[in-house]
Amino acid sequence: MFDRLEIRVLPQGPRFAPQLRFWINGEDVVAAAVLAGGRGPYASDLLPGDPDRPGPLAGTAGPRRVELGEPECTGGCCGFLSLVVQRLGGVVQWSDWEVPADGTRPLEYHFDAVAYDAELASATTESALTRRDVAE
């Protein structure tokens, strides 16, 4: 059975540009790992402005480390939330988590590659719309 991923684009706030949150099986994995006051990644860092161009979260054959958040004191102080993302046939795997000090280490997750790609495409479209709204 595959894990279920939902990517949410949070609106721009007074201190931060639009951010991403990652809900896996109904749990916000960023909030659990970076603790109160922490933040997720900026949408513009992980989701390309062009839906046809893959971003850092795209599951590819080669593994790559991706940062998903940092605590309020910054990642340079207490460490970043990061993981390794890679595609293994019809599965996209998130594994090898690194967490900030005192954060909770998420599990290893396995997503159906077709559903994963669809969720990334949807979040990329939503992010592009959010960026357009902020620019206007």
Side-chain angles (χ1 to χ4, degrees):
M1 186 165 130
F2 291 111
D3 294 294
R4 190 179 77 258
L5 174 66
E6 181 183 351
I7 302 172
R8 296 184 183 169
V9 180
L10 303 180
Q12 179 168 328
R15 290 180 47 206
F16 298 114
Q19 299 174 44
L20 299 178
R21 282 296 217 236
F22 302 89
W23 289 76
I24 301 176
N25 303 327
E27 180 182 344
D28 182 343
V29 295
V30 173
V34 300
L35 307 174
R39 69 168 183 85
Y42 296 127
S44 61
D45 291 343
L46 293 185
L47 298 175
D50 178 359
D52 295 326
R53 191 191 76 192
L57 287 173
T60 59
R64 86 180 107 189
R65 182 155 295 279
V66 178
E67 289 179 6
L68 292 189
E70 65 181 310
E72 185 173 31
C73 64
T74 78
C77 173
C78 295
F80 292 93
L81 171 65
S82 68
L83 63 98
V84 171
V85 60
Q86 67 181 323
R87 185 177 303 259
L88 306 166
V91 176
V92 175
Q93 176 182 312
W94 283 14
S95 63
D96 301 318
W97 291 87
E98 293 181 1
V99 297
D102 299 326
T104 301
R105 183 179 308 278
L107 301 172
E108 184 171 291
Y109 297 107
H110 300 91
F111 308 104
D112 173 78
V114 172
Y116 182 88
D117 292 344
E119 184 63 19
L120 275 181
S122 176
T124 298
T125 299
E126 183 180 351
S127 175
L129 293 172
T130 300
R131 282 186 272 220
R132 189 175 315 129
D133 290 344
V134 169
E136 293 175 351

